[in-house]
Every structure is written in C-alpha cells, then in structure tokens.
C-alpha cells in the first residue's frame, strides 16, 4: 500500500514538473518575436478551460489519465506564474 502511494506521489510530482517545463517553453518560444504573445495566451487559456471542464465533469475523479492531465495543467499554471514574477522583478 505504501509503495503504491509513493509511486503515485512520484508520478504526480513528475507531471507537475513536466507542466512547469511546458510553461517555460510556452512562454519563451512565442515571446521571441513578440507577435504571437496574444495568440499563445488565448490558446493556453482555452486549453486550460477545456481540460478543467473535462476533469471536473468526469463521473470518476480517480481516472488516471484525467489526474495526469490535471497535474500537467496545474504545473503549466504554476510555471506561468513563476515566469510572470521573474519578468516583474
């Protein structure tokens, strides 16, 4: 039982870090030209809302695919906040 919980925690932390990496990529690549910032922000917000709708309307909240996608989404949001604080300082 403890081994299963540790593997679950490890996989969730890995998904959060993957989302953080994706956020870094999403904030740096479109920002190189400065022209794609608005479009990239719209795509990120739209995909975030779609994932939230899928996750929180699901009958079973323990579905592993939905948990992984939600953890990646949370990592992306966290990564974008960290990038915003880096730019603001």
């Amino acid at each position: 039982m403890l081994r299963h919980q540790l593997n679950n925690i490890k996989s969730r932390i890995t998904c959060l870090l993957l989302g953080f990496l994706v956020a870094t990529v999403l904030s740096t690549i479109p920002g190189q030209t400065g022209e794609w910032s608005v479009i990239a922000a719209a795509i990120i917000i739209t995909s975030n809302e779609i994932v939230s709708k899928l996750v929180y309307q699901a009958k079973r909240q323990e579905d592993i695919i939905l948990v992984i996608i939600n953890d990646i989404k949370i990592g992306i949001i966290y990564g974008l906040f960290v990038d915003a604080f880096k730019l603001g300082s």
Side-chain angles (χ1 to χ4, degrees):
M1 182 72 172
L2 182 62
R3 180 174 290 254
H4 176 67
Q5 288 177 345
L6 287 176
N7 286 337
N8 189 20
I9 291 172
K10 289 178 188 178
S11 65
R12 291 192 77 175
I13 290 174
T14 303
C15 290
L16 286 172
L17 292 175
L18 178 66
F20 190 82
L21 175 69
V22 169
T24 304
V25 169
L26 288 176
S27 67
T28 55
I29 291 175
Q32 293 294 321
T33 61
E35 299 171 358
W36 289 94
S37 298
V38 174
I39 295 171
I43 291 170
I44 292 169
I45 290 172
T46 303
S47 63
N48 184 18
E49 292 298 323
I50 290 170
V51 168
S52 293
K53 182 178 179 181
L54 290 174
V55 167
Y56 295 116
Q57 279 186 349
K59 302 257 188 239
R60 289 183 43 205
Q61 294 291 330
E62 295 86 24
D63 190 15
I64 190 69
I65 300 297
L66 291 178
V67 169
I68 289 172
I69 292 172
N70 196 36
D71 287 341
I72 291 173
K73 179 193 75 161
I74 292 169
I76 289 172
I77 293 170
Y78 175 70
L80 291 175
F81 272 113
V82 170
D83 282 343
F85 285 128
K86 286 191 291 190
L87 291 174
S89 62

